[in-house]
Amino acid sequence: MKKKNSNKILIVLLLCTLFLSACYSAKEKEYYVQKDNYVNASGTIRHIAYNDDGSALYLGFSELSPTFDDNSFKIVGDNLAIVQKNNIDEKIKMGDKIEFITAPRYFGDGYVMPIVAVSVNGEELLEFEEGYANLLKWLGVN
């Protein structure tokens, strides 16, 4: 009898977790759809790294302007392919100051804010309208 009750409790907990995750995802998508949430920023590169499977480029900054809840950002999906095609790996290095556009809401521990536009030394490697549309596509927003 105890095993049946513990299984029921586990199922309820799993369903609650799935529900909360879906709500969280919906709030995140709702936030990123609103263009007014995006801001221009600049910072000095202090960290550059790809994740293990090469599907995201992570950039860490010092001297961020404006300041944010965190100093780490990522470029993902089609936006990553675009900046790679535009030679981001050769055009940025540690200590470079770059300009970018992000939506600065921080969604919790381990969350990394997305970059949807980036310029290096006045050269645009990813423009906002394309980067914004690609982020929404990556998030599954239709």
Side-chain angles (χ1 to χ4, degrees):
M1 191 61 148
K2 283 186 180 184
K3 188 173 183 173
K4 284 185 181 182
N5 286 337
S6 63
N7 285 342
K8 287 179 185 178
I9 291 171
L10 285 174
I11 290 170
V12 169
L13 288 174
L14 178 62
L15 290 174
C16 288
T17 301
L18 290 172
F19 175 75
L20 291 173
S21 177
C23 290
Y24 174 82
S25 178
K27 283 192 174 278
E28 183 180 20
K29 290 176 183 178
E30 181 182 310
Y31 174 75
Y32 286 122
V33 167
Q34 299 174 33
K35 284 187 177 180
D36 290 343
N37 289 330
Y38 293 83
V39 298
N40 292 305
S42 64
T44 302
I45 300 283
R46 69 169 182 82
H47 174 80
I48 306 168
Y50 284 93
N51 64 350
D52 289 340
D53 67 3
S55 63
L57 175 61
Y58 291 87
L59 302 174
F61 295 94
S62 62
E63 302 170 24
L64 269 172
S65 177
T67 57
F68 299 103
D69 288 337
D70 198 358
N71 59 8
S72 295
F73 299 82
K74 67 182 175 183
I75 302 173
V76 294
D78 290 343
N79 290 340
L80 179 59
I82 291 167
V83 297
Q84 287 173 325
K85 180 182 170 197
N86 290 326
N87 298 313
I88 195 168
D89 295 321
E90 290 81 36
K91 292 181 179 174
I92 64 168
K93 59 186 179 304
M94 299 291 285
D96 285 349
K97 185 167 187 157
I98 70 168
E99 293 79 39
F100 61 98
I101 298 177
T102 188
R105 183 167 176 191
Y106 187 69
F107 285 92
D109 283 351
Y111 187 78
V112 182
M113 294 171 275
I115 290 177
V116 295
V118 62
S119 297
V120 179
N121 297 321
E123 180 184 352
E124 192 171 60
L125 303 181
L126 175 64
E127 64 92 17
F128 174 73
E129 289 299 329
E130 186 173 28
Y132 166 78
N134 288 338
L135 177 65
L136 295 184
K137 181 175 126 183
W138 185 77
L139 290 169
V141 177
N142 295 330

